[in-house]
Amino acid sequence: MRAAVGEMGVRRTALTLLKVNQKSGFDCPGCAWPESAGHRTPFEFCENGAKAVAEEATLRRVTPEFFAEHPVAELDGRSDYWLGQQGRLTHPMVLRPGDTHYRPISWPDAFALTASTLRGLDTPDAAAFYTSGRTSNEAAFLYQLFARAFGTNNLPDCSNMCHESSGTALNATIGIGKGSVTLDDIHRSSLIVVVGQNPGTNHPRMLTALETAKRNGARIIAVNPLPEAGLLAFKNPQKVSGVVGSATTLADQYLQIRVGGDLALFQALGTLLLPHADREFIAAHTTGFDSYAANVAEVDWAVTEEATGLTRAEIEETAAMFAASDATIVCWAMGLTQHRDAVATIQEVVNVQLLRGMIGKPGAGLCPVRGHSNVQGDRTMGVWERVPAWGPALGKEFGFRVPAETGHDTVETIRAMRDGQVKVFVGMGGNFAAATPDTVATEAALRTCELTVQISTKLNRSHTVTGKTALILPCLGRTEADPAGFVTVEDSMSCVHASRGSLPPAAPTLLSEVAIVSRLGAATLDDTIPWESFEHDYAAVRARIARVVPGFADFENRLGGAGFTLPHPPRDSRSFDTPDGRARFTVSPLTSIEVPEGRLLMQTLRSHDQYNTTIYGLDDRYRGITAGRRVVFAHAEDLAEHGLADGSMVDIVSEWPDGERRAEGFRAVAYPTARGCVATYFPEANVLVPLDSVAVGSNTPTSKAVVVRLEPAHAPSPGPSA
Ligand SMILES: Nc1nc2c(c(=O)[nH]1)N[C@H]1C(S)=C(S)[C@@H](COP(=O)(O)OP(=O)(O)OC[C@H]3O[C@@H](n4cnc5c(=O)[nH]c(N)nc54)[C@H](O)[C@@H]3O)O[C@H]1N2
Ligand SMILES: Nc1nc2c(c(=O)[nH]1)N[C@H]1C(S)=C(S)[C@@H](COP(=O)(O)OP(=O)(O)OC[C@H]3O[C@@H](n4cnc5c(=O)[nH]c(N)nc54)[C@H](O)[C@@H]3O)O[C@H]1N2
Ligand SMILES: [Mo]
């Protein structure tokens, strides 16, 4: 409440927060955790959802006068925290070659400038269209339609850095890249394994679901190099007993795994669970079991204990809990997806669930917990560098030929800008400059562009790191009333529902994302696609989606109440959309990340006071950090081995075949993390993540596994990032 009242004032806070996640309100712009289909309390939001709402509904404004006062060179020296604090963008702005300041530009001129630059390119593939996961289904559908009709599949998105590894692993094994559980499954599960995820900070409403499951008899296992407070012990802030009483112990077992050790862990679990295989399920629904069983026939305990940092006894205890459970769910997030062998690791999770027949059964399944509130929906709507299976239907509906070649994902877009192949960058939300890896290389790449266009609600680094010409196109946020009607989103469990903003727009000059894409389409392309018909009529967009995207038939009429859940063949009927109609066991070699002598494995993660690159404040309450973000969490004994101690100032140097990368002035914090593993905050540490260090198969940057060394700081600390 303090965060919200500070940004919005008391009345606006009350009016806004009571609409969050209500059936007649707006979808929380925070995370993608689902709401209950049934009864909802007036308080369907969490502390961090309130911060996300306050960040958007702030009363502060970034006006043309602001830009006149602050040259871009000055803004470029400001932190993400400072930039975000300045408030909502109000007017379209342009930075022309040679100018020192952004200047106002009219909407028609902004679209004409973008359109003429796009049309002047040698090839449509010289443009890239990025999306972040807050964009509504309607805007996302039109945006990918625009890119493909313009002639390119260059549709990188934040998913490429997020759950791409999950989608890749699941598509190949169960035939659909989405999780197979519902909220109801969580509530009635008997074992929930939370791997590589920090829900206390990033999906706080998930803790309420885990608490319900626990009350219903579930056991919970946490697998994490860090003893994350919210997960190990949870006080429900929405209950009196939660506020004043003792915390519920959520996790029954805590496995303090080494960073990158999950592949070894799940292979070992597979071996131990072979005698408990669900033979009937395996015979009826799967393929490849024999090769899998041969691959995991034995555990090499020395290798497994080294890779995981766990003991044989701990892993055997975990296996016993799996064996005893008749309904197991495995949940995971970035701790599994942002690794070199992320796809193989997630496939080992799938193997274990298939082995026990834990798919398509109440209370059981696979649960990749998505990040951005509509990141899953954006992909469903076709925001993808590949052509979705329904590509031909899209071309037919709108009368154009969908380009066939796979486009650039996020990492490839950076490379293509660097190599002079991509000249125009358009960002539908997000903060490409700060969220992507290898900050120095990425910023240099962005600066080579002819034109960068950012469709944004708030000021961020992507507005200060620009192409030769740069546009800021300010848009409405989720919380705001849109005269053209409501939009829709899809949560992490495939439920599609309406989202209705109610606040007056931050400025009368703002356009909705749908309007911006529609006007861009009309300005750039010939009139084959009736762009004008979409801007004021989102139902018309949904009618098109209903005809093109499978699962959306009769879209408009199914949006009453809590919305509807998209089909998921493995969940609904144990059927698998793979070539032979069966789920596939996979075989992966046992790998782990090699860390040379004297080096440490660094993961980058989120504090309790940030939303990705949006920094709400400089504290990380659950980890005991105040007033600073340039910290590196390390085990006290690892610090001692490096001649360092709690409070030492260090530089972090990452090592990669193409050279070293350096981040200066971090305070070492002695912390009970797994030995050999250190943690820093994203995005400050992105400068250390090499562009070419990516996951096999998904091309996701390995933001959770960077080999580093710590050196005593060369320069005095630059102070907190504020
Ligand atoms: N308040 C808030 N909510 C958010 C976000 C936010 O920034 N703020 N971001 C949103 C987005 S886009 C996303 S994708 C999600 C992210 O949600 P999370 O994935 O929970 O986010 P991270 O902070 O990256 O935390 C990763 C967790 O994985 C653990 N981990 C790291 N490496 C390993 C490993 O090798 N093995 C295992 N087992 N664990 C490991 C870390 O210790 C940490 O607990 O949250 C979403 N929700
Ligand atoms: N090192 C490291 N790097 C990472 C990660 C990590 O764990 N470690 N995590 C990765 C992950 S999981 C993700 S998802 C990406 C996130 O990458 P992005 O999605 O690109 O980044 P965000 O910080 O979420 O974007 C915030 C910006 O979005 C804009 N915005 C907010 N709401 C809206 C809206 O409604 N409409 C529009 N048009 N704009 C809006 C605002 O201008 C705000 O500044 O970062 C990735 N990068
Ligand atoms: Mo994410």
Side-chain angles (χ1 to χ4, degrees), residues 115-134:
S116 68
T117 314
L118 284 171
R119 280 198 310 259
L121 294 170
D122 295 339
T123 155
D125 289 327
F129 299 92
Y130 177 71
T131 313
S132 167
R134 263 191 204 172

Side-chain angles (χ1 to χ4, degrees), residues 411-431:
V411 164
E412 288 162 347
T413 297
I414 298 168
R415 291 187 187 131
M417 291 190 297
R418 176 196 63 195
D419 299 340
Q421 287 154 4
V422 162
K423 294 274 172 211
V424 175
F425 176 92
V426 182
M428 172 56 92
N431 184 357

Side-chain angles (χ1 to χ4, degrees), residues 162 334 371-372 606 612:
C162 186
M334 298 304 102
H372 269 298
R606 293 153 172 80
N612 298 339

Side-chain angles (χ1 to χ4, degrees), residues 92-94 96 103-113 471 473:
M93 303 294 300
V94 65
R96 295 192 192 271
R103 284 189 279 172
I105 183 173
S106 72
W107 279 110
D109 288 350
F111 293 120
L113 174 62
L471 281 167
L473 306 182

Side-chain angles (χ1 to χ4, degrees), residues 505-594:
T509 32
L510 301 184
L511 290 181
S512 70
E513 292 178 342
V514 169
I516 290 174
V517 182
S518 301
R519 294 193 193 183
L520 192 57
T524 312
L525 304 176
D526 64 25
D527 52 11
T528 315
I529 298 171
W531 293 105
E532 322 65 56
S533 65
F534 303 135
E535 178 175 339
H536 302 290
D537 184 4
Y538 299 170
V541 184
R542 286 188 286 274
R544 301 293 191 136
I545 295 171
R547 281 206 289 274
V548 173
V549 184
F552 285 83
D554 204 22
F555 194 178
E556 198 67 29
N557 294 323
R558 292 155 78 202
L559 285 169
F564 62 97
T565 301
L566 289 170
H568 189 288
R571 178 196 67 208
D572 303 337
S573 59
R574 290 190 156 182
S575 49
F576 300 90
D577 193 7
T578 53
D580 58 4
R582 288 166 168 268
R584 314 183 83 81
F585 281 93
T586 48
V587 171
S588 301
L590 174 51
T591 56
S592 61
I593 302 155
E594 261 142 59

Side-chain angles (χ1 to χ4, degrees), residues 31 56 72 84 133 168 241 273 324 329 332 456 459 590 604 666 701 711 722:
C31 74
E56 181 175 301
V72 177
T168 306
S241 63
L273 290 166
I329 291 175
W332 70 91
S456 315
L459 193 62
L590 174 51
T604 57
F666 282 70
E711 293 182 351

